[in-house]
């Protein structure tokens, strides 16, 4: 499975506390497939949620304490890189 690392458009040096996971529907549930995740500080949780929802994904907020990523880092598990391009 390919994994693509990216960054969100904003610039922030805040401490990452939260992962906003993004799911697409599968098997009759909105949280069927984990497609991507964004690692953010508390100020950018909503930004990440909006980003995933704009891509028709269902965001799920979970803790990411101890992550080595900087705020705005993304990990994308989808096959198509083009789907990750920020709007
Ligand atoms: Zn931030």
């Amino acid at each position: 499975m390919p994994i693509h690392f990216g960054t969100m458009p904003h610039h922030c040096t805040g401490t990452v506390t939260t992962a906003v996971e993004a799911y697409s529907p599968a098997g009759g549930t909105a949280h069927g497939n984990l497609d991507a995740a964004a690692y953010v500080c508390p100020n950018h949780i909503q930004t990440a949620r909006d980003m995933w929802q704009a891509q028709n994904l269902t965001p799920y907020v979970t803790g990411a304490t101890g992550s080595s990523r900087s705020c705005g880092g993304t990990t994308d598990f989808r096959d198509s890189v083009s789907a990750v391009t920020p709007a």
Side-chain angles (χ1 to χ4, degrees):
M1 177 181 287
I3 299 177
H4 305 288
F5 295 102
T7 55
M8 292 167 65
H10 72 265
H11 295 282
C12 175
T13 58
T15 300
V16 170
T17 60
T18 302
V20 182
E21 298 177 336
Y23 290 84
S24 59
T29 169
H31 296 85
N33 281 326
L34 174 60
D35 282 351
Y39 299 88
V40 293
C41 75
N43 291 332
H44 286 106
I45 294 171
Q46 189 62 46
T47 307
R49 289 178 59 94
D50 290 346
M51 177 180 71
W52 295 138
Q53 288 181 317
Q55 297 180 27
N56 294 315
L57 298 171
T58 301
Y60 178 78
V61 175
T62 187
T65 306
S67 172
S68 61
R69 306 294 300 276
S70 53
C71 178
T74 62
T75 303
D76 200 303
F77 307 107
R78 290 172 291 183
D79 289 337
S80 173
V81 178
S82 63
V84 194
T85 305

